[in-house]
């Protein structure tokens, strides 16, 4: 009997002990665990995405903010050396050595000591330094400039290279204008499909969305919003509902109308600024407007009253078109269709063995038939059989045929089955107009100086010129790409991945508007089935035919 | 006596069991789910560097970055090598995927300072294991170039090589036969 009581007691004691141990163990980490007091927004100019870095308050009753050296090292691409024995940590940033000792306020910068207001601490396996190190000690010793906004806790490392810089508004009798200044000649696309909204996509644009977020009304503009993606900028203009017509134009900033700098000059000495720039003479005026452009969005003041909400839906704004509108006076008489890949370049093979080159060729044949029968245009195929034609050769064939349009047909692919959708590409110009002019001049002088230049040197020159040929047609190419994407999205039920600008080799050197269509992903099992389905192919072909029809009408309207 | 022996044994077994259960819970609490980033790298002595890698989203619609601590040794060439080697191991985060064909290895990397150009010499897998498609090819090139750009500001151009020679394209869409200027690639 005695034993059983003892056993019961023992079990009870053990149970109590176990519970106590458990509680102690769960209580201890939470007491030592670091909790971020706030966070530092970090914006990089080198293409890294912005991030939020945790900041800590380590001292009771002291609001000083600390940052982990783990984060500092990443932010500034530092190398880090930690010697636990001596409790010292070295950060090497831009070739300068910073030595920290735990629980001291001294930072050795090279051989020079610098003093902070609060000491470095060691918490939770990390060396923590006061944020003042970045603003007071590091900033003046960095190669790239940094800016720390203490109020908003925002750190900018390097100077982000924006090419869409500013927005201003003008208002007069005829209507309202939004003027956007840019430092590059960029392509844009205007979408007015949604009533009351103008959406402008700027290809290759880089802007600060905060600067283009405007919540106050300016004339007929209600509000402006901006979005920046990895490659492009988007501007959204919410406009007054009385607006019936609009116009968007890109114009160079001429010295007469004042460059960016001159605009900032106050009215009292504006005249002197103009004189000084015109005094520099004609030769300077061209370089003076170095890539500076103004994108002007004009909203015409209508005489109509505000439309009631009920009648408003479906009433789109109309674009004001004048004269040729920059479009060439040319008909689409001959189209080159380029079935991608071929021969030994089978490129993608789907999981079940379907080859991209075969799908491309089959769709190209269908498209050729439809174009001929429905639009009566001449069609040239870059390949009619399963052969490999080099990419340059395809462009040469199209140029020799004197075609008015080039369409390359492809299927997309990805490393995993998840990706899907269709997209349309046009060529990204390799350089801006000014660089292009410089390159041309350089080429001319090289040829002039070396009339006997041969072999590789000549290839290099041809390569540069070849790269620039498509630049002349880039506006029409982007227009056509938008039309194709829109017509496809009306017919296909897979993801619309949008129009993209990229340095695709097959589109280089073409002397005509040119696009590349990626119909769907062969690597996606669902879309693979679609690509083998006649109905889907028929829809793709119909979409492209319709896009060409609309493109042609646009030319006709401009004549 | 025999009775008492059994009682003692039961007690001992129970004690061991209770200690084991408690130890297990302590272990789970401390080292299991509670472990959180940032990693406690400062506990590792020696010279390290935090590097940024670019990977892609599963649906091929965005870039995703990831940072990792790697040991630092040697000059630029060796550092480029170790960064690319680490990059080729792929992402650790769940939502990111590698946009480089499987089995791709860097054979060598060299740096020509006069040309500000880093030459990256890969094995044949870069081309032969590529799934194809302009999107996959774009992300293959972009994730490599952006990783170099984010970690080596002194590198302005990258030249791709496959087993010692330049190739026209990796999967038939983008020219990589000449050095690519990092600032201009998009």
């Amino acid at each position: 009997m005695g034993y059983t009581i003892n056993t019961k007691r023992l079990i009870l004691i053990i149970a109590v002990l176990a519970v106590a141990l458990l509680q102690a163990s769960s209580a201890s980490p939470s007491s030592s665990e670091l909790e971020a007091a706030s966070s530092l927004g970090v914006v990089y100019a080198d293409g890294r995405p912005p991030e939020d870095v945790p900041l800590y308050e380590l001292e009771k009753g002291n609001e000083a903010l600390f940052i982990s050296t783990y984060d500092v090292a990443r932010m500034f691409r530092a190398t880090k050396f930690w010697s636990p024995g001596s409790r010292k940590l070295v950060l090497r940033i831009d070739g300068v050595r910073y030595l920290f000792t735990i629980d001291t306020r001294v930072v050795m910068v090279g051989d020079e000591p610098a003093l902070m207001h609060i000491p470095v601490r060691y918490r939770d396996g990390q060396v923590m330094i006061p944020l003042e190190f970045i603003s007071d000690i590091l900033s003046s010793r960095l190669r790239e400039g940094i800016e720390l906004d203490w109020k908003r806790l925002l750190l900018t490392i390097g100077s982000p290279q924006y090419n869409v810089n500013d927005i201003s508004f003008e208002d007069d009798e005829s209507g309202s204008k939004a003027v956007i200044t840019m430092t590059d000649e960029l392509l844009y696309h205007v979408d007015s499909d949604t009533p009351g909204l103008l959406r402008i996509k700027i290809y290759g644009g880089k802007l600060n969305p905060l600067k283009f977020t405007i919540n106050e009304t300016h004339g007929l503009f209600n509000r402006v919003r901006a979005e920046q993606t990895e490659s492009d900028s988007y501007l959204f203009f919410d406009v007054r509902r009385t607006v019936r017509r609009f116009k968007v134009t890109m114009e160079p900033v001429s010295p007469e109308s004042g460059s960016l700098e001159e605009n900032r000059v106050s009215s009292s000495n504006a005249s002197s600024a103009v004189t000084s720039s015109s005094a520099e003479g004609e030769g300077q005026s061209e370089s003076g407007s170095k890539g500076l452009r103004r994108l002007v969005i004009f909203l015409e003041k209508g005489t109509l009253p505000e439309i009631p909400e009920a009648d408003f839906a479906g009433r789109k704004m109309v674009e004001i078109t004048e004269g040729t509108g920059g479009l060439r006076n040319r008909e689409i008489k001959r189209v080159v269709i380029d079935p991608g890949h071929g021969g030994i370049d089978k490129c993608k093979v789907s999981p079940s063995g379907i080859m991209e080159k075969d799908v491309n060729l089959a769709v190209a044949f269908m498209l050729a038939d439809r174009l001929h029968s429905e639009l009566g245009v001449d069609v040239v195929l870059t390949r009619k059989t399963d052969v490999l034609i080099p990419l340059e050769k395809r462009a040469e064939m199209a140029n020799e045929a004197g075609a008015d349009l080039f369409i390359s047909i492809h299927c997309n692919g990805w490393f995993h089955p998840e990706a899907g959708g269709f997209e349309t590409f046009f060529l990204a110009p390799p350089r801006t107009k000014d660089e292009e002019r410089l390159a041309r001049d350089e080429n001319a002088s090289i040829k002039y100086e070396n009339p006997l230049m041969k072999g590789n040197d000549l290839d290099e020159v041809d390569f540069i010129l070849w790269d620039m040929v498509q630049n002349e047609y880039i506006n029409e190419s982007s227009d056509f790409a938008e039309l194709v994407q829109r017509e496809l999205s009306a017919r296909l039920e897979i993801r619309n991945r949008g129009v993209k600008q990229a340095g695709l080799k097959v589109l280089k050197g073409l002397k005509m508007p040119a696009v590349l269509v990626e119909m769907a992903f062969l690597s996606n099992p669902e879309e693979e089935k679609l690509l083998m389905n006649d109905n889907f192919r028929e829809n793709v072909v119909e979409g492209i035919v319709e896009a060409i029809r609309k493109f042609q009408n646009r030319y006709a309207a401009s004549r | 006596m025999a009775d008492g022996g059994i009682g003692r044994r039961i007690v001992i077994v129970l004690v061991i069991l209770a200690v084991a259960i408690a130890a297990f819970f302590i272990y789970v609490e401390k080292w299991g789910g509670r472990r959180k980033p940032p990693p406690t790298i400062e506990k590792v002595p020696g010279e390290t560097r935090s590097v940024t890698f670019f990977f892609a989203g599963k649906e091929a619609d965005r870039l995703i970055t990831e940072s990792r601590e790697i040991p630092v040794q040697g000059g630029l060439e060796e550092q480029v090598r170790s960064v690319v080697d680490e990059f080729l191991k792929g992402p650790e985060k769940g939502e990111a995927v590698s946009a480089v064909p499987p089995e791709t290895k860097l054979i060598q990397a060299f740096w020509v300072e006069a040309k500000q150009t880093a030459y990256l010499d890969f094995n044949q897998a870069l081309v032969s294991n590529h799934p194809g498609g302009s999107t996959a090819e774009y992300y293959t090139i972009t994730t490599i170039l952006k990783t170099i750009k984010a970690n080596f500001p002194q590198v302005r151009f990258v030249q791709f090589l496959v087993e010692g020679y330049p190739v026209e394209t990796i999967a038939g869409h983008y020219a990589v036969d000449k050095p690519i200027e990092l600032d201009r690639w998009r």
Side-chain angles (χ1 to χ4, degrees), chain A residues 324-391:
Chain A
T324 61
L327 288 176
R328 252 167 271 260
N329 242 353
R330 197 150 46 73
E331 256 180 296
I332 309 289
K333 284 184 182 152
R334 183 168 293 163
V335 175
V336 170
I337 302 171
D338 171 49
H341 311 282
I344 55 158
D345 172 21
K346 55 191 185 303
C347 211
K348 279 171 298 294
V349 181
S350 78
S352 58
I354 294 157
M355 290 183 209
E356 182 196 349
K357 58 177 187 177
D358 298 337
V359 178
N360 297 344
L361 190 61
V363 174
F365 276 133
M366 280 171 73
L367 180 59
D369 279 351
R370 290 287 289 272
L371 279 180
H372 192 73
S373 63
E374 278 191 33
L375 299 181
V377 296
D378 263 4
V379 178
V380 178
L381 285 158
T382 55
R383 67 177 178 99
K384 287 180 182 157
T385 53
D386 185 13
V387 288
L388 174 65
I389 314 253
L391 295 175

Side-chain angles (χ1 to χ4, degrees), chain A residues 142-192:
Chain A
L142 282 175
R143 236 174 296 168
E144 49 188 1
I146 60 166
E147 219 183 282
L148 178 59
D149 180 343
W150 277 97
K151 236 189 223 155
R152 291 159 64 202
L153 286 176
L154 192 70
L155 176 69
T156 312
I157 301 176
S159 17
Q161 286 174 347
Y162 297 125
N163 53 17
V164 180
N165 308 84
D166 231 324
I167 183 165
S168 60
F169 296 91
E170 290 165 23
D171 204 28
D172 63 25
E173 300 282 282
S174 58
S176 302
K177 271 182 188 172
V179 180
I180 290 149
T181 47
M182 305 182 179
T183 38
D184 270 332
E185 188 175 3
L186 300 167
L187 286 175
Y188 61 93
H189 175 76
V190 185
D191 179 347
S192 59

Side-chain angles (χ1 to χ4, degrees), chain A residues 466-508:
Chain A
W466 184 254
D467 259 13
M468 295 185 312
V469 169
Q470 172 68 199
N471 281 12
E472 233 178 279
Y473 303 90
I474 218 89
N475 275 316
E476 287 142 287
S477 296
S478 77
D479 248 13
F480 182 57
E482 295 282 354
L483 281 172
V484 171
Q485 191 69 11
R486 179 184 295 217
E487 294 304 325
L488 289 179
S489 91
R491 289 170 177 81
L492 306 182
E493 278 168 8
I494 54 176
R495 181 173 172 184
N496 178 350
R497 298 174 66 94
V499 172
K500 295 194 178 134
Q501 200 180 10
L504 292 157
K505 190 168 179 182
V506 73
L507 299 180
K508 286 181 183 171

Side-chain angles (χ1 to χ4, degrees), chain A residues 43-150:
Chain A
V43 179
Y44 299 96
D46 63 10
R48 283 183 279 173
E51 61 174 332
D52 280 321
V53 173
L55 295 175
Y56 305 93
E57 281 175 16
L58 299 177
E59 251 101 293
K60 281 223 168 76
N62 186 340
E63 284 174 12
L65 291 169
F66 286 80
I67 183 167
S68 161
T69 41
Y70 174 79
D71 291 320
V72 174
R74 182 183 66 255
M75 284 152 58
F76 295 100
R77 299 191 196 95
T79 68
K80 185 151 59 76
F81 192 92
W82 166 235
S83 141
S86 58
R87 294 166 68 77
K88 286 185 196 306
L89 178 118
V90 175
L91 286 182
R92 200 188 305 275
I93 304 174
D94 278 0
V96 181
R97 191 171 169 271
Y98 302 88
L99 174 82
F100 303 90
T101 309
I102 307 296
D103 296 331
T104 65
R105 297 194 291 140
V106 183
V107 187
M108 294 299 294
V109 182
D111 298 326
E112 297 286 317
L115 201 63
M116 295 186 293
H117 294 94
I118 18 178
V120 174
R121 298 294 188 200
Y122 182 79
R123 285 291 146 75
D124 210 26
Q126 303 174 64
V127 177
M128 299 285 190
I129 49 178
L131 195 55
E132 66 174 289
F133 167 73
I134 292 177
S135 58
D136 298 359
I137 297 173
L138 188 62
S139 67
S140 59
R141 292 170 173 89
L142 282 175
R143 236 174 296 168
E144 49 188 1
I146 60 166
E147 219 183 282
L148 178 59
D149 180 343
W150 277 97

